[in-house]
Amino acid sequence: MRERERTPLFALVAPSYYAKNLPVIPLYPREKKPIPLDWSRYYDHPVELEQQKEWLEGIPDANIGLVLGPQSGVVMLDIDTTDANLTKVITSVLPISPWVRIGAKGMVMAFRFNGLKTFLIVTGK
């Protein structure tokens, strides 16, 4: 049986992000795991042209990931709770997000990066 051909997602989509100086990187197909081990170096600068070409030609069927931070201008807020009341309290003090993903274990919201450092709030309850 022949293996199903993969769509060259990365090769099709990444160039439009690169044209806007957005740092996208290849991820393993159907995963969120970055292929390049040094992916975080694109936090504050664009992906070099030579690197773009290498990824576009070498792993065209990779999944695509946006490196968050000052270069992309995007930051994400993860709300890891299924407690609807707690989620309502948290979201009531936030601005409206232009992008929201709701999953089985909570939600993720996108916002414009403003320089605030990453932080984590954890409680026993």
Side-chain angles (χ1 to χ4, degrees):
M1 187 183 281
R2 234 175 72 188
E3 182 181 327
R4 193 175 87 178
E5 283 190 43
R6 292 187 186 139
T7 303
L9 176 67
F10 191 79
L12 291 172
V13 178
S16 63
Y17 284 85
Y18 291 143
K20 294 178 173 109
N21 287 321
L22 292 170
V24 291
I25 59 168
L27 309 176
Y28 286 98
R30 295 190 269 292
E31 292 186 31
K32 298 180 196 175
K33 183 179 178 185
I35 291 174
L37 297 176
D38 62 346
W39 64 269
S40 62
R41 68 189 182 112
Y42 298 112
Y43 168 80
D44 59 2
H45 70 278
V47 177
E48 301 85 0
L49 289 175
E50 188 57 39
Q51 184 63 76
Q52 291 176 25
K53 183 178 178 188
E54 184 179 317
W55 288 339
L56 291 167
E57 293 174 1
I59 40 181
D61 60 345
N63 202 354
I64 187 167
L66 176 66
V67 179
L68 305 174
Q71 181 62 36
S72 66
V74 178
V75 65
M76 297 289 183
L77 174 69
D78 242 341
I79 302 175
D80 291 329
T81 182
T82 55
D83 181 326
N85 290 328
L86 185 53
T87 298
K88 186 175 180 180
V89 169
I90 294 168
T91 57
S92 73
V93 297
L94 297 172
I96 294 172
S97 171
W99 182 90
V100 176
R101 184 189 76 215
I102 298 175
K105 298 178 184 176
M107 65 191 302
V108 180
M109 303 169 76
F111 295 98
R112 183 180 307 272
F113 178 79
N114 67 3
L116 186 65
K117 293 191 186 249
T118 299
F119 64 92
L120 180 64
I121 299 173
V122 179
T123 70
K125 299 177 184 175

